């Protein structure tokens, strides 16, 4: 089988800093990392590869030149090859435009039997790109997959939804997005890291993909961000301090009363 | 039609999230302008009546045994047929596992924009466009997004971020039954099995949640928290620190890389309130917290906070709740 994993580089939300006046992310203050949830996508692809000997796993990313770092990370973790779609024309893409670009790249570098994505990227936090790619390429789609296996009849997946546990058979070609329940991938080996460092990562441009610049990037995006602001965290809360037996009793009384009020609503 | 909400159905009942979407629709449109699309394996007539009474003026229903469980292709075909006939300006779905699959799949097919997991919606003065506000970058910021030129404008809405609309006496909707075309059955998915609800999922829809943070210090102390949860009829959640130590399973993790919850009452004990944790709970209706550190970030969100040792406060609270009878 030919497998593809979609990989995104995201700002590290641990160290992310915001520009107070413009409300945008200060890029240099935050190290860019591999979207943590995409490591599970790779893990799922490698599980399928193990079950279907002779398979290959291609990692694909759309992003700035620096996204190469995230691709090297997945190469070190076991992906067979990597492709970076890098073009100014892609800048500012919303999920729709991102999916258009990634779909074109999957077609150019494919055909693939199975595409695996993360559940969502921790920056945009939408989880829309996977389903949008599936719709664009008419792939069978299963999201929030926490178990995957292959047999002669195709792919079998398990997904846990609000109302229960579902098992589905997917006709190939298919796209799945996976959750953390797929399992941990472990750390890259030193040899893997060394090999990944030397690998050539081809760059694909929008023109290579035959994409009209008007349909991608900010221009091609149906949505527009009109405003960015800080969440107002502060609620006018009451605070009680426990310093002795009496204040403990008072605090607990106040808390219990509040909980009772809430429940009465 | 101005706004159409996408109903969710399970066990032949229209789920509460649908009524939350109706509350949103009522805030955006006037009576007469609201629709609801119900794609299902079949629901009793009263379910449609209730939807009408709660605010849906037009109810578009597709029923077929093969629509019982959500699959992207047939559900999207039904949505596209509804959009072609009723031309809603706005389509709203729940940010549930179904909504977060169905809407993006449909948005691509219809070539329109989609905003995920919104917590606020309004109409822009002048342009009449839908303004969609949502948390992004791990809850570090809020972003307001619009779809100026593509139709319909689509959004998924965070479950439990608003109250469900209640049926009003005398209010009725018009039911439009439409045929689900046999061709729509074409799908890459074949159902193998379905096992109804499991316990871990309850957390996402629990009315009350007690969340344990690293302040609990060791798993032996979890007993008092379990008792508190039991007294409150609450589910138990945890921070990543607690899950990473193996004190509670991953299915309990609340936050950026865990679950999102929007309960009526969130009780945090020994939780610092790191931004990644807040990303999964800040839309809780009421928040109370116990922490030894008066500067802990969780207090900036808390309606009631106790600065104190949870090992003292929780047992005392349990005793008080036990004495005070059921809530
Ligand atoms: C990419 C990424 C994703 C993440 N995703 C998540 C996520 O989904 N969910 C999540 O929770 N975290 C997540 N985190 C981790 C997050 O940054 C914090 O580390 C975590 O939320 C902290 O958990 P905590 O509050 O239990 O622990 P701490 O921050 O260590 O806080 C413990 C608190 O307990 C208090 N305390 C100590 N003793 C007592 C006592 N006796 N009585 C009362 N209070 C006491 C302390 O004052 C302190 O405030 C993520 C991090 C990253 C980088
Ligand atoms: N620019 C991108 N390049 C490659 N994959 C992406 C990109 N953006 C999103 N993805 C994939 O789509 C998933 C969902 O992302 P999102 O819809 O942005 O939350 C991610 O986990 C990735 O697998």
């Amino acid at each position: 089988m030919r497998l593809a994993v979609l990989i995104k580089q995201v700002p590290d939300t641990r160290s992310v800093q915001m520009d107070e006046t413009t409300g945008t992310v200060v890029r240099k203050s935050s190290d860019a990392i591999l979207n943590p949830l995409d490591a599970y996508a790779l893990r799922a692809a490698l599980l399928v590869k193990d079950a279907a000997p002779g398979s290959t796993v291609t990692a694909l990313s759309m992003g700035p030149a620096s996204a190469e770092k995230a691709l090297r990370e997945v190469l070190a973790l076991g992906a067979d090859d990597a492709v970076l779609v890098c073009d100014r024309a892609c800048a500012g893409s919303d999920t729709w435009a991102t999916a258009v670009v990634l779909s074109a790249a999957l077609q150019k570098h494919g055909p693939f039997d199975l595409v695996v994505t993360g559940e969502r990227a921790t920056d945009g936090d939408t989880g829309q790109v996977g389903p949008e790619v599936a719709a664009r390429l008419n792939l069978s789609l299963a999201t929030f997959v926490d178990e995957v296996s292959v047999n002669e009849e195709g792919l079998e997946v398990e997904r846990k939804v609000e109302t229960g546990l579902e098992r589905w058979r997917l006709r190939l070609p298919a796209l799945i997005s996976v959750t953390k329940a797929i399992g941990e991938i472990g750390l890259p080996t030193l040899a893997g890291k060394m090999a990944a460092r030397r690998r050539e990562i081809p760059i694909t441009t929008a023109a290579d993909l035959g994409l009209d610049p008007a349909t991608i990037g900010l221009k091609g995006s149906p949505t527009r961000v009109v405003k960015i602001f800080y969440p107002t965290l502060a609620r006018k809360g009451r605070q009680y301090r426990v310093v002795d037996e009496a204040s403990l009793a008072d605090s607990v009384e106040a808390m219990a009363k509040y909980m009772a009020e809430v429940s009465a609503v | 039609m101005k706004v159409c909400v996408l109903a969710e159905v399970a066990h032949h009942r229209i789920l509460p999230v649908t009524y939350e979407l109706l509350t949103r629709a009522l805030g955006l449109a006037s009576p007469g302008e609201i629709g609801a699309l119900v794609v299902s394996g079949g629901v009793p007539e009263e379910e449609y009546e209730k939807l009408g009474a709660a605010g849906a003026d037009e109810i578009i229903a597709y029923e077929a045994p093969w629509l019982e469980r959500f699959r992207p292709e047939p559900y999207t075909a039904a949505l596209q047929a509804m959009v072609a006939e009723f031309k809603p300006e706005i389509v709203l779905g729940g940010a549930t596992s179904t909504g977060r699959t169905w809407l993006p799949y449909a948005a691509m097919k219809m070539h329109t924009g989609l905003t995920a997991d919104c917590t606020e919606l309004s109409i822009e003065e002048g342009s009449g466009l839908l303004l969609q506000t949502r948390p992004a970058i791990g809850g570090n910021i809020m972003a307001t997004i619009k779809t100026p030129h593509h139709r319909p404008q689509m959004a998924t809405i965070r479950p439990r971020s608003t109250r469900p609309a209640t049926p009003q006496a005398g209010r009725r909707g018009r039911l439009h039954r439409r045929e689900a075309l046999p061709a729509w059955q074409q799908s890459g998915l074949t159902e193998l099995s379905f096992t109804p609800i499991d316990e871990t999922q309850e957390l996402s829809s629990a009315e009350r949640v007690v969340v344990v943070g690293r302040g609990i210090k060791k798993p032996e102390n979890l007993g008092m928290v379990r008792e508190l949860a039991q007294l409150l009829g609450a589910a138990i959640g945890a921070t990543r620190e607690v899950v990473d130590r193996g004190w509670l399973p991953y299915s309990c993790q609340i936050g950026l890389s865990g679950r999102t919850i929007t309960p009526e009452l969130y009780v945090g004990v020994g939780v610092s309130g790191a931004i990644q944790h807040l990303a999964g709970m800040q839309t809780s209706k009421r928040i109370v917290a116990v922490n030894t550190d008066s500067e802990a970030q969780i207090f900036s969100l808390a309606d009631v906070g106790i600065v104190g040792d949870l090992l003292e406060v929780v047992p005392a609270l349990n005793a008080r709740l036990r004495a005070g009878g059921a809530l």
Side-chain angles (χ1 to χ4, degrees):
Chain A
M1 277 169 80
R2 288 203 62 196
L3 308 162
V5 277
L6 301 184
I7 294 295
K8 188 177 187 189
Q9 193 182 44
V10 297
D12 187 344
T13 39
R14 265 172 307 194
S15 59
V16 79
Q17 267 179 31
M18 304 298 298
D19 183 321
E20 294 275 350
T21 48
T22 63
T24 52
V25 180
V26 181
R27 285 283 167 185
K28 57 180 180 307
S29 74
S30 58
D31 299 307
I33 55 168
L34 169 67
N35 173 26
L37 297 174
D38 290 350
Y40 301 97
L42 178 65
R43 156 91 178 165
L46 293 176
L47 285 173
V48 173
K49 178 181 167 170
D50 284 345
S55 300
T56 56
V57 177
T58 302
L60 181 66
S61 187
M62 178 191 94
S66 61
E68 192 198 272
K69 195 174 141 229
L71 286 172
R72 286 200 196 284
E73 199 172 321
V74 293
L75 283 171
L77 286 166
D80 297 294
D81 45 49
V83 176
L84 178 62
V85 183
C86 182
D87 197 316
R88 267 177 186 282
C90 298
S93 291
D94 70 357
T95 64
W96 193 93
T98 301
V100 167
V101 173
L102 292 172
S103 298
L106 285 167
Q107 279 183 309
K108 181 177 164 71
H109 297 280
F112 293 101
D113 304 290
L114 176 65
V115 181
V116 191
T117 78
E119 181 186 327
R120 57 201 150 93
T122 55
D123 56 350
D125 203 11
T126 78
Q128 291 175 181
V129 168
E132 288 181 324
V133 168
R136 182 88 177 169
L137 299 176
N138 290 313
L139 307 174
S140 310
L141 167 67
T143 51
F144 305 102
V145 165
D146 46 36
E147 225 183 274
V148 57
S149 59
V150 267
N151 57 34
E152 313 76 54
E153 301 188 67
L155 206 67
E156 274 185 32
V157 301
E158 183 183 282
R159 59 195 300 260
K160 217 182 265 162
V161 298
E162 293 83 350
T163 52
L165 195 70
E166 304 178 345
R167 290 193 69 86
W168 296 93
R169 176 172 305 126
L170 262 61
R171 187 176 62 217
L172 299 177
L175 182 145
I176 61 174
S177 79
V178 302
T179 71
K180 242 184 149 169
I182 281 287
E184 298 293 329
I185 191 147
L187 294 170
T189 59
L190 190 59
K193 269 191 183 161
M194 299 285 280
R197 204 172 304 155
R198 288 192 300 269
R199 292 292 295 279
E200 182 87 17
I201 295 182
I203 306 273
T204 298
T205 65
D208 295 337
L209 297 175
L211 288 168
D212 173 358
T215 64
I216 57 173
L218 192 60
K219 249 192 265 158
S221 294
T223 62
R224 284 281 176 283
V225 177
V226 289
K227 190 173 78 174
I228 283 180
F229 59 101
Y230 288 93
T232 39
L233 284 186
R235 301 188 179 199
K236 260 199 244 75
R238 285 173 283 160
Q239 209 175 75
Y240 300 86
R241 242 168 226 279
V242 176
V243 286
D244 53 21
E245 285 294 321
S247 55
L248 175 64
D250 289 349
S251 316
V252 163
E253 187 57 31
M255 178 77 86
K257 279 228 175 81
Y258 180 75
M259 288 171 164
E261 262 167 50
V262 172
S263 308
V265 181
Chain B
M1 184 185 293
K2 183 150 181 200
V3 185
C4 187
V5 305
L6 306 186
E8 284 193 39
V9 177
H11 316 300
H12 310 286
R13 289 281 176 275
I14 292 172
L15 297 178
V17 64
T18 314
Y19 291 90
E20 297 169 14
L21 297 174
L22 273 181
T23 299
R24 299 289 190 169
L26 288 161
L28 300 171
S30 312
E33 301 180 319
I34 298 170
L37 172 68
V38 188
V39 183
S40 76
V43 300
E45 200 75 20
E46 309 91 81
E47 288 290 296
Y48 295 129
E49 281 162 18
K50 198 173 144 206
L51 209 52
D57 303 297
E58 319 292 339
I59 298 151
I60 302 95
Y62 289 91
E63 291 187 359
W66 43 271
L67 291 173
E68 171 88 32
R69 206 91 54 217
F70 167 76
R71 286 180 299 168
E73 307 93 330
Y75 272 55
T76 297
L79 173 52
Q80 285 185 279
M82 182 280 292
V83 167
E85 184 180 349
F86 291 88
K87 305 191 172 54
E89 289 277 299
I90 296 168
V91 169
L92 304 178
T96 56
S97 61
T98 294
R100 292 190 87 157
T101 313
W102 186 6
L103 280 87
Y105 193 88
M108 175 55 76
K109 293 283 183 196
M110 298 193 286
H111 192 167
T112 190
L114 172 63
T115 305
D117 204 19
C118 299
T119 53
E120 281 163 53
L121 297 178
S122 61
I123 299 288
E124 187 176 52
E125 259 179 64
S127 71
L129 290 171
L130 178 67
L131 295 177
Q132 310 155 115
T133 299
R134 63 181 304 261
I137 324 210
N140 282 288
I141 59 163
M142 300 293 287
T144 301
I145 294 167
K146 64 183 179 186
T147 306
H149 306 298
H150 297 70
R151 293 293 176 273
Q153 304 160 79
M154 310 225 302
T156 57
I157 313 300
R158 182 171 290 196
R160 304 186 67 85
S161 59
T162 190
R163 292 192 164 274
T166 48
Q168 309 285 313
R171 191 164 182 168
R172 306 185 51 158
R174 266 184 304 279
L175 181 61
H176 309 268
R177 287 188 183 273
R178 292 290 180 268
E179 189 200 350
L181 303 181
W184 298 354
Q185 285 189 62
Q186 292 299 324
S187 166
L189 279 74
T190 310
E191 186 168 10
L192 298 175
S193 68
F194 178 74
T195 320
I197 202 84
D198 77 306
E199 176 238 342
T200 57
Q201 284 294 330
E202 272 176 38
L203 185 54
S204 307
S205 55
E207 293 249 340
R208 301 172 203 166
V209 178
V210 177
V211 174
V212 197
R214 192 160 65 124
I216 192 79
K217 302 231 167 62
K218 49 185 180 187
E220 290 73 28
N221 292 332
L222 279 171
M224 64 177 76
V225 179
R226 287 218 163 83
E227 187 183 352
L228 175 60
Q230 204 194 347
L231 286 162
L232 289 170
I236 291 198
T239 65
R240 184 161 110 174
E241 290 290 334
V242 166
V243 169
D244 282 354
R245 284 173 175 71
W247 298 347
L248 280 169
Y250 168 63
S251 57
C252 289
Q253 185 173 318
I254 310 296
L256 184 63
S257 43
R259 274 164 210 285
T260 299
I261 54 168
T262 318
E264 290 289 316
L265 177 67
Y266 168 105
V267 183
V269 296
V271 173
S272 61
I275 193 81
Q276 295 86 2
H277 180 69
L278 302 189
M281 53 65 70
Q282 59 193 321
T283 46
S284 301
K285 189 129 291 157
R286 327 263 169 144
I287 296 171
V288 304
V290 181
N291 196 307
T292 41
D293 175 8
S294 65
E295 299 298 311
Q297 171 136 288
I298 190 78
F299 284 134
S300 62
L301 258 84
D303 300 296
V304 176
I306 298 184
V307 182
D309 186 342
L310 75 90
L311 301 177
E312 258 172 58
V313 175
V314 174
L317 189 58
N318 288 346
R320 166 64 181 75
L321 292 174
R322 247 182 276 121
L327 287 177

